[in-house]
Amino acid sequence: MNKVIALWAHPRAVSTAFLRMMIERGDVIVVHEPLVTLVDEGEVPVTDGRGGTVVLRSPIEVIRHLKSLAALAPVFCKDTCEFQYEWMFDHPDEMAGIEHTFIVRDPKKAINSHYQVKPTVTCPEIGYEHLYRIFEFAQRIRGKRPPVIHSERLLQDPAAVIRRYCELVGLPFIPEALTWNAEDRPEWKRTQVWHQDVARSTGFSHRERTYEVTVDNDEKLRSFYDHHYPFYRHLSEHAI
């Protein structure tokens, strides 16, 4: 049986660019944010691996479907942690069969970017606390430390980071997948506004952004940063 590989991310972590690279590989089945979609919409259409889709209506259905897809090819699923998925902690046996991996970004950059897209964002939705809780859970149920990608390191040296990631999750390294055509993708059509940068990109690239409201000049955003920074620090200590 092939692996199901999960990439857990806080919002604005460069995780969709990572997913775009996985699409470009062509040898894995890619699933984009089924759990956050399930929370938002109450149901989620997911590929059946043969050109069609199935509609899933519970987290357990999602996890079991991902595992069934692994009969066809390795599965890569990216999801974000603005919500806390409490159900997973009650089903360790189901979650233990998944290769859990994580990605983190400098919280100043992530929070500034998040607020730009969603000015109503709340502190829990920033996601680092939820992400760290899943990290600890995954480490406990799998009996090993999960791989953590640091976004800044990924953008500086994508080949080295992706090569190491592939070694850790048991996939071949495909250097040609580090570049792609700029395009919108059906995988992220529902949340297109969040993925405009990656739709315009042709690879992993570092772009400095300036924002009017930031962690450095807004009291609310600073409080978000102060709350989530310790979780970011713990996660980044384990970055590959």
Side-chain angles (χ1 to χ4, degrees), residues 153-174:
R153 193 175 301 168
L154 171 64
L155 296 176
Q156 289 171 359
D157 194 349
V161 173
I162 299 298
R163 183 188 298 276
R164 179 59 177 152
Y165 181 87
C166 289
E167 290 174 358
L168 291 172
V169 301
L171 291 175
F173 174 57
I174 303 177

Side-chain angles (χ1 to χ4, degrees), residues 86-153:
E86 289 292 342
W87 56 268
M88 74 168 60
F89 303 107
D90 297 326
H91 297 85
D93 292 342
E94 295 279 358
M95 301 304 295
I98 293 174
E99 185 80 32
H100 299 279
T101 67
F102 298 79
I103 184 168
V104 293
R105 182 186 183 192
D106 178 343
K108 281 191 177 182
K109 295 177 181 178
I111 293 169
N112 294 346
S113 177
H114 199 149
Y115 182 82
Q116 177 73 14
V117 180
K118 185 181 180 183
T120 60
V121 62
T122 64
C123 188
E125 291 175 308
I126 297 301
Y128 292 86
E129 182 175 8
H130 297 161
L131 191 67
Y132 184 66
R133 189 177 176 203
I134 297 174
F135 174 84
E136 288 192 312
F137 173 69
Q139 184 169 243
R140 184 168 67 252
I141 63 173
R142 295 277 295 178
K144 63 178 182 179
R145 183 175 296 162
V148 179
I149 300 163
H150 198 292
S151 293
E152 280 72 24
R153 193 175 301 168

Side-chain angles (χ1 to χ4, degrees), residues 3-7 18 22 28-29 66 74-78 97-101 165 169-171:
K3 282 187 176 182
V4 177
I5 303 165
L7 181 68
F18 199 94
M22 282 292 186
V28 296
I29 297 171
L66 294 177
V75 177
F76 175 82
C77 176
K78 187 266 282 194
I98 293 174
E99 185 80 32
H100 299 279
T101 67
Y165 181 87
V169 301
L171 291 175

Side-chain angles (χ1 to χ4, degrees), residues 14 105-106 108-110 112-113 116 151-152 155-156 197 200 204-212 214 216:
V14 193
R105 182 186 183 192
D106 178 343
K108 281 191 177 182
K109 295 177 181 178
N112 294 346
S113 177
Q116 177 73 14
S151 293
E152 280 72 24
L155 296 176
Q156 289 171 359
D197 284 347
R200 292 191 292 263
F204 294 103
S205 59
H206 179 71
R207 298 180 182 180
E208 285 294 340
R209 300 286 186 180
T210 58
Y211 303 102
E212 183 177 349
T214 72
D216 293 324

Side-chain angles (χ1 to χ4, degrees), residues 211-225:
Y211 303 102
E212 183 177 349
V213 181
T214 72
V215 167
D216 293 324
N217 64 25
D218 183 85
E219 184 176 341
K220 181 178 73 172
L221 296 191
R222 184 70 197 193
S223 72
F224 293 174
Y225 175 85

